[in-house]
Amino acid sequence: DGGITQSPKYLFRKEGQNVTLSCEQNLNHDAMYWYRQDPGQGLRLIYYSQIVNDFQKGDIAEGYSVSREKKESFPLTVTSAQKNPTAFYLCASTDRRTDTQYFGPGTRLTVL
Amino acid sequence: QKEVEQDPGPLSVPEGAIVSLNCTYSNSAFQYFMWYRQYSRKGPELLMYTYSSGNKEDGRFTAQVDKSSKYISLFIRDSQPSDSATYLCAMSYAGNNRKLIWGLGTSLGVNP
């Protein structure tokens, strides 16, 4: 089955630690995205990548970093510089024919 | 003013009711319009996709786009308790790096 996987489903982090969230897709999509979702604030774009070895900042990139070394993979690192990292993180990829995005199941990050 | 406005609700209806969900937008360049459904603690899933103006029907769901009024709608006929979820509208235009502009989502509850 084609789709997007994210791991882990739940992640707990102590303050001051960096953590990396995994996102893998086998849909052969070129573009991938990371969003953050908080209650009442909708989806906010963190980073996006249209092709391998290239990525751009979204609306709330501060305190986050990404890499895109393979077409299938787009990991997100939440650094200790992110002041309020507790949130639900969603990864997506795009069908270039329609601009529709397909989402993974999400990772819920909690900072203790 | 946000580019895309969506009433967050919550909206509560009895089972079997017709539900109307709406978004307004300000950017006349938008060409691609989508509706996503998101269950609690899950990733959004694509429900309907429409290019430019017009109607599109898929089972109990109908999507409408009125570009002259900058208004899109999603209708759900014979609503079921399983339709209880948050519904997000999203839209994009060519040349926007395939980024979607999102509404905040409307929370819908269908009561048996």
Side-chain angles (χ1 to χ4, degrees):
Chain A
D1 286 334
I4 301 177
T5 57
Q6 289 185 243
S7 61
K9 188 173 182 179
Y10 298 98
L11 186 57
F12 298 90
R13 188 194 92 175
K14 292 183 179 179
E15 282 193 26
Q17 289 181 337
N18 293 353
V19 289
T20 297
L21 282 57
S22 169
C23 177
E24 303 276 333
Q25 56 100 358
N26 61 4
L27 299 168
N28 199 33
H29 289 166
D30 289 311
M32 297 185 73
Y33 304 79
W34 273 105
Y35 291 94
R36 170 183 172 137
Q37 190 174 36
D38 297 279
Q41 296 201 45
L43 294 172
R44 292 187 289 168
L45 183 64
I46 304 172
Y47 267 98
Y48 64 103
S49 168
Q50 296 195 73
I51 56 172
V52 174
N53 293 322
D54 185 54
F55 48 84
Q56 290 81 40
K57 293 181 179 180
D59 302 317
I60 55 164
E62 185 176 350
Y64 300 97
S65 66
V66 293
S67 63
R68 187 85 186 278
E69 297 176 1
K70 298 187 299 181
K71 186 175 184 177
E72 301 80 16
S73 178
F74 191 38
L76 173 74
T77 296
V78 184
T79 75
S80 56
Q82 169 50 233
K83 291 182 172 40
N84 186 19
T86 294
F88 188 47
Y89 290 88
L90 288 159
C91 179
S93 67
T94 292
D95 180 342
R96 67 165 56 240
R97 297 167 298 173
T98 62
D99 281 2
T100 50
Q101 291 185 6
Y102 295 85
F103 285 83
T107 292
R108 186 165 299 276
L109 172 64
T110 302
V111 174
L112 304 172
Chain B
Q1 183 189 5
K2 283 180 168 291
E3 278 193 282
V4 178
E5 300 276 3
Q6 184 177 10
D7 186 338
L11 183 62
S12 181
V13 301
E15 184 175 354
I18 297 174
V19 176
S20 173
L21 303 167
N22 311 296
C23 288
T24 58
Y25 61 93
S26 56
N27 190 342
S28 57
F30 286 135
Q31 301 171 283
Y32 307 95
F33 303 91
M34 292 144 240
W35 285 96
Y36 286 80
R37 177 175 63 195
Q38 186 177 24
Y39 292 112
S40 181
R41 302 177 189 271
K42 305 286 187 185
E45 57 178 322
L46 179 67
L47 264 183
M48 301 287 282
Y49 162 80
T50 309
Y51 170 69
S52 194
S53 281
N55 294 358
K56 186 172 185 179
E57 188 172 321
D58 184 1
R60 296 185 295 112
F61 298 91
T62 300
Q64 286 186 352
V65 174
D66 182 348
K67 293 191 75 177
S68 61
S69 302
K70 298 192 182 72
Y71 188 90
I72 68 170
S73 300
L74 178 71
F75 297 96
I76 307 174
R77 291 183 297 281
D78 187 23
S79 56
Q80 303 295 309
S82 59
D83 295 327
S84 299
T86 296
Y87 291 80
L88 300 114
C89 65
M91 46 198 82
S92 70
Y93 57 90
N96 193 33
N97 292 323
R98 295 194 165 80
K99 291 189 294 182
L100 296 183
I101 310 301
W102 294 86
L104 290 181
T106 299
S107 176
L108 171 67
V110 180
N111 305 307

